[in-house]
Amino acid sequence: MKITLKTNKKLIMCYGKTAFTPGRYLEDGLRSIGANVDVYKTEIDFGAIDFSEVAGVLFVESPSKPAVKTKNIDLVTVPKLLWVHHGENRIPTNVKLAKKFKADLILMAHSLHLAKRFPAPVRFFPFAMAKNIFNSKTDLNERPIDISFVGSRDPGYYQKRRIALKAIKEKFSSSYKLSLNSSVFVNGLAEQYSKSKIVVNHTADTIKSLNMRIFEGMGCGALVITDFVPGQDQLFRDQEHYVLFKNHAELLEKIDYYLTHPKEAQKIASAGHLHLLSSHTYEHRAHEIFRHIEELAANAPD
């Protein structure tokens, strides 16, 4: 399905683009639905833009790169949106960005309890499935890795995660194939998850935010077993799309159960994969972007 704007106006994206950021995945999604996208990675002079050809401006948080420098932002005559990916750990910076970019709408990937901190209305705009990368339908019984985890073990943020991974190793390493220490990215990460029966997700000790691992693991057709953070229940249902655990004892119990009940594991993993494809790809998010722009434009003062 192509974009629904009456004319194929372009979208301006401003973000520090790298090969594996949510902004890059969203840009791919926008192009996939036929959007005309101009990307500015370091700076933009809005005084040089013909806004008769522009539907909106989308700024994307890019922590690994300097914020895009703007000039003549007061000349922007179309909706301005800012998509933020982090919560408490970057809230002062992201509030400053919202003010700097004079955003008309803030899109938050998670942590909506912080919405009141921003100077503009907020909408939930979570991560999604990058289906050209994280996408596999291989049956679980054909996958050589039983339990997989990829991610940080920084003791400053992830003490509970470290304890959980140690417990998984102690309980299952003698009976199952584990991969809990890999340091891989993008295509390598997709390859690992596509070879894994179970992908474990464990959020940080204090910052509880919806992360990309859920979408990556589920997109690769693995059974995702994860703790809960606010917002997940708006997207997924426990034991239908993925499996939730409340504590480490329950995590070990559920890993053991689904490894010994492969048909049930396969049913949930397959349903999760299909659910993403039907409702939560970056193409879906791209259409949402244009719906938000159209709503903002319709409600703009004359």
Side-chain angles (χ1 to χ4, degrees), residues 208-225:
K208 296 298 182 182
S209 57
L210 183 61
N211 60 41
M212 294 173 64
R213 190 177 297 107
I214 292 177
F215 297 93
E216 293 162 347
M218 198 181 299
C220 287
L223 175 65
V224 172
I225 301 183

Side-chain angles (χ1 to χ4, degrees), residues 2-293:
K2 298 299 182 183
I3 57 176
T4 57
L5 289 178
K6 293 180 180 179
T7 59
N8 188 21
K9 289 186 176 181
K10 71 178 66 173
L11 178 71
I12 292 176
M13 284 189 74
C14 300
Y15 74 110
K17 182 175 179 177
T18 66
F20 48 93
T21 61
R24 173 263 167 114
Y25 299 149
L26 179 57
E27 181 188 337
D28 290 347
L30 287 160
R31 296 189 190 281
S32 292
I33 67 167
N36 182 5
V37 184
D38 282 354
V39 176
Y40 292 81
K41 303 177 185 178
T42 58
E43 59 184 31
I44 181 171
D45 181 358
F46 288 109
I49 304 296
D50 179 1
F51 285 101
S52 67
E53 300 178 354
V54 177
V57 178
L58 173 63
F59 296 95
V60 181
E61 179 191 3
S62 306
S64 65
K65 299 283 187 178
V68 173
K69 296 179 181 179
T70 62
K71 186 177 180 181
N72 293 312
I73 199 164
D74 289 327
L75 298 180
V76 178
T77 58
V78 295
K80 301 182 296 296
L81 298 80
L82 170 63
W83 186 25
V84 299
H85 304 149
H86 293 81
E88 288 93 337
N89 58 326
R90 275 183 57 87
I91 185 65
T93 297
N94 285 330
V95 169
K96 288 180 182 178
L97 288 177
K99 293 177 180 178
K100 173 185 175 180
F101 298 142
K102 300 187 177 181
D104 301 301
L105 182 68
I106 310 299
L107 304 175
M108 296 188 69
H110 51 75
S111 303
L112 292 180
H113 63 285
L114 300 172
K116 61 187 178 184
R117 300 281 296 274
F118 287 94
V122 168
R123 298 288 184 274
F124 185 34
F125 192 83
F127 302 122
M129 175 188 184
K131 69 179 185 181
N132 59 323
I133 302 173
F134 298 96
N135 191 358
S136 175
K137 296 190 293 184
T138 302
D139 287 345
L140 298 187
N141 61 12
E142 297 177 10
R143 300 181 178 213
I145 302 172
D146 295 298
I147 309 168
S148 183
F149 172 83
V150 179
S152 174
R153 294 168 178 259
D154 184 338
Y157 296 97
Y158 300 110
Q159 281 288 355
K160 293 179 181 178
R161 175 186 288 180
R162 290 162 64 93
I163 293 169
L165 294 173
K166 181 180 179 181
I168 290 171
K169 183 177 180 180
E170 290 176 351
K171 181 175 179 63
F172 296 109
S173 61
S174 62
S175 303
Y176 294 102
K177 172 67 174 177
L178 278 56
S179 179
L180 306 178
N181 298 297
S182 297
S183 181
V184 293
F185 302 95
V186 196
N187 292 321
L189 181 60
E191 181 180 2
Q192 173 157 330
Y193 286 165
S194 296
K195 292 180 178 178
S196 302
K197 295 181 177 73
I198 290 175
V199 168
V200 173
N201 181 51
H202 195 302
T203 54
D205 294 347
T206 57
I207 301 174
K208 296 298 182 182
S209 57
L210 183 61
N211 60 41
M212 294 173 64
R213 190 177 297 107
I214 292 177
F215 297 93
E216 293 162 347
M218 198 181 299
C220 287
L223 175 65
V224 172
I225 301 183
T226 180
D227 52 351
F228 176 80
V229 299
Q232 282 179 205
D233 51 349
Q234 296 186 47
L235 306 175
F236 310 119
R237 288 188 288 273
D238 183 24
Q239 298 185 65
E240 182 176 344
H241 304 127
Y242 64 176
V243 173
L244 294 176
F245 68 86
K246 296 178 182 177
N247 51 55
H248 290 171
E250 191 171 85
L251 169 61
L252 298 178
E253 176 186 327
K254 291 191 173 182
I255 290 174
D256 183 63
Y257 179 86
Y258 285 105
L259 286 175
T260 55
H261 293 77
K263 289 184 179 179
E264 293 182 42
Q266 184 66 71
K267 181 180 179 181
I268 297 172
S270 296
H273 180 253
L274 289 173
H275 179 60
L276 289 188
L277 284 172
S278 65
S279 302
H280 298 292
T281 67
Y282 278 101
E283 286 76 14
H284 291 102
R285 298 292 182 264
H287 282 290
E288 290 179 43
I289 289 291
F290 280 101
R291 286 196 291 271
H292 286 311
I293 288 173

